[in-house]
């Protein structure tokens, strides 16, 4: 058996409901492939913030630094500002562990109708590669004159040659394993310094990958084209802000943000990578058994692939997607199954 120790952060709301299904399916698939998982669970959450004044303890990163991966449920809850929960937990992990690639695959699946009338299963299959540790989400800036008529806020975007080059290189290498096409999201016609710099670095990387076709799209036009013709895209690479927006837009095109996974990767494996569904904590349905665990299952499959078990990853996804294709889905997708029912359908397909 190959053993892994996983840091489990259920977080808030439905995050606590979607990780147990992921653990159950991982155990079933792992048994078939000689893989076993041990978990250390951490109560880092908005609930902890309200009780103790911090999303996680000051030595939180040290506590999970030697784990093989991090599996996260969801973060966010009414009463705790979003910037507090994000900057108190997710961003410190991403930056502290140099998880500079945020990877978000997007597919139209059989059993998940897309809002686009002509998009069927298999027609949309793309990946958004988002720069994950710098860009527009920097800590440089501040506010002056609070509460006065002259109040102002300044936020600085930070783009470095190293940071841009490494994430673009990752996107090109990924495209080489897919359909050999990278689309760069930019806005160099309006943002005068950072985006021309981004474009120049993309061109440098593209020259080292002559077999990969390169496209450049301004972010506003790209958003429209993702809706009008999503099938034309393979790998999209963008800055922290652009990648964040595009990945949620693309997931909605595929039918539901509720099924979307994400991987926060440290490609050099100097630190653990973190895997999380995109759907958020969904306070409106928390505790009702309505949560869709597919995003967590897909994220767990990405974790398996990252740990070096692509066959096990494919088997997990085949089971999760197969349940949908057979008509078993949760209420957010128009189905009648609850969280446990959908999970049971997936486990039945992997012999769990």
């Amino acid at each position: 058996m190959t053993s892994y120790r996983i840091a489990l952060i259920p977080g808030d709301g439905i995050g606590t409901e979607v990780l147990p299904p992921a653990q159950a399916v991982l155990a079933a698939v792992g048994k078939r492939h000689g893989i076993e998982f041990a978990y250390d669970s951490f109560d880092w959450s908005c609930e902890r913030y309200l009780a103790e004044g911090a999303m996680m303890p000051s030595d939180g990163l040290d506590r999970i630094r030697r784990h093989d991966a991090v599996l996260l449920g969801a973060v966010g809850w009414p009463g705790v500002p979003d910037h507090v929960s994000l900057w108190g937990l997710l961003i410190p992990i991403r930056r502290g562990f140099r998880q500079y690639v945020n990877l978000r695959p997007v597919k139209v699946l059989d059993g998940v109708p897309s809002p686009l009338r002509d998009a069927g299963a298999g027609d949309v299959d793309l990946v958004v590669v988002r720069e994950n540790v710098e860009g527009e989400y920097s800590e440089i800036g501040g506010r002056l004159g609070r509460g006065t008529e002259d109040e102002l806020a300044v936020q600085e975007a930070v783009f470095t040659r190293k940071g841009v080059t490494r994430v673009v290189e990752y996107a090109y290498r990924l495209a080489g394993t897919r359909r050999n096409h990278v689309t760069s999201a930019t806005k160099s016609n309006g943002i005068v310094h950072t985006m021309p710099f981004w474009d120049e670095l993309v061109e440098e990387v593209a020259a080292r990958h002559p077999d990969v076709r390169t496209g450049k799209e301004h972010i506003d036009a790209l958003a429209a084209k993702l809706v009008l013709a999503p099938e034309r895209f393979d790998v999209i690479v963008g800055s922290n802000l652009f990648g964040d927006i595009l990945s949620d837009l693309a997931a909605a095109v595929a039918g539901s943000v509720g099924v979307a996974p994400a991987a926060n990767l440290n490609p050099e494996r100097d630190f653990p990578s973190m895997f999380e569904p995109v759907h958020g904590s969904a306070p409106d349905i928390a505790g009702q058994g309505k949560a869709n665990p597919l995003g967590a299952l897909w994220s767990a499959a990405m974790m398996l692939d990252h740990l070096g078990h692509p066959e096990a990853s494919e088997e997990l996804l085949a089971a999760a997607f197969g349940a949908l294709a057979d008509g078993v889905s949760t209420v957010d997708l128009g189905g009648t199954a609850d969280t446990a029912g959908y999970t049971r359908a997936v486990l039945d397909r992997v012999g769990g």
Side-chain angles (χ1 to χ4, degrees), residues 114-157:
S114 168
L116 305 185
R117 64 179 180 270
D118 295 328
D123 291 341
V124 178
D125 182 358
L126 61 91
V127 180
V128 177
V129 177
R130 167 192 173 191
E131 199 290 316
N132 208 33
V133 297
E134 55 176 47
E136 301 88 350
Y137 295 1
S138 82
E139 297 178 75
I140 302 174
R143 291 172 64 177
L144 294 174
R146 290 174 183 263
T148 73
E149 63 179 12
D150 297 319
E151 184 173 5
L152 65 88
V154 176
Q155 182 80 42
E156 299 287 350

Side-chain angles (χ1 to χ4, degrees), residues 10 53 58 69 99 115 124 136-137 171 211 226 237 246 262 272 278 297 339 350:
S58 58
Q99 296 169 352
V124 178
E136 301 88 350
Y137 295 1
D211 295 334
L226 262 178
V237 63
L246 288 172
V278 176
L297 294 179
T339 306
V350 293

